[in-house]
Amino acid sequence: MRETAGERWGRRIVLTLLTLFVVIPLYVMITSAAKPLQDVQNGFTWWPSRPTLQPFIDMWSTVPLARYLVNSLVVSSIAAVCSVAVAIFAAFAVSRYRFRGRGVFSVTVLSTQMFPGILFLLPLFLIYVNLGNATGIELYASRTGLVITYLTFSLPFSIWMLVGYFDSIPRGLDEAAQVDGAGPLRILFRVILPAAVPGVVAVTVYAFMTAWGEVLFASVMTDEGSRTLAVGLQGYSTQFNVYWNQVMAASLVVSIPVVAGFLALQRYFVAGLTAGAVK
């Protein structure tokens, strides 16, 4: 079907509006980060009257941003790796084997996504505190506890997504490997995983981003030493002032690694999200 002139102009207008919707906030963030604090607090201007890079320097001393950045990287990376590692084995078992309780397990995993995260906040908090008092294992206000917390809501979706992707891989590959004498683990690592790289990357990106931008649990389960970026950025707001220019500068700096990684893995991410939808 040929596109009419009205449809073409309508598409252009919609795409232009969507582009402006994305670009304008980013432009305001960049220009605000290059303004002195007084300029940001005064009337809004589209261009800094006195461009400066001082906010990018001061943001490291106003709050311990480097420590928050390290905490976020460590927690998000470990949570993503653990989530993917467990999800791969669980999804392989659900996808390739028929066992009693398989349907119940799949429904249970998927049904956990129906409940809001705040529902698990108080139970997890009480478990961590009581476990620390009883055994001395400090999970509250620690990176380990935060990793376990993020696994509770990233792992179920990771399993469900990988099951759909593994189901799209022909079982004939498994049968051919079995004829050659391959066992289950060899089939998984030599046959399934090489064909499922886009799906694994998609799950990794999802688990990492879920932990990276989470605020609710991080604000309750951490202290000053284990605080992550999502909560630590609130430190630029004090009782007497809000350092908006440093907030914008810090937001830009901490977004660079995530954006760069996402762009580098974009083709795998898109393929992983769509390949399991159609067999």
Side-chain angles (χ1 to χ4, degrees), residues 185-195:
L185 290 180
R186 187 175 179 183
I187 292 175
L188 173 61
F189 289 106
R190 295 293 183 89
V191 179
I192 301 299
L193 284 184

Side-chain angles (χ1 to χ4, degrees), residues 188-238:
L188 173 61
F189 289 106
R190 295 293 183 89
V191 179
I192 301 299
L193 284 184
V197 170
V200 173
V201 172
V203 170
T204 304
V205 173
Y206 163 78
F208 183 89
M209 294 302 299
T210 300
W212 181 266
E214 201 279 326
V215 177
L216 177 62
F217 286 88
S219 62
V220 177
M221 298 293 189
T222 60
D223 58 7
E224 183 63 27
S226 59
R227 192 162 296 164
T228 59
L229 280 172
V231 181
L233 291 178
Q234 299 177 4
Y236 291 105
S237 176
T238 65

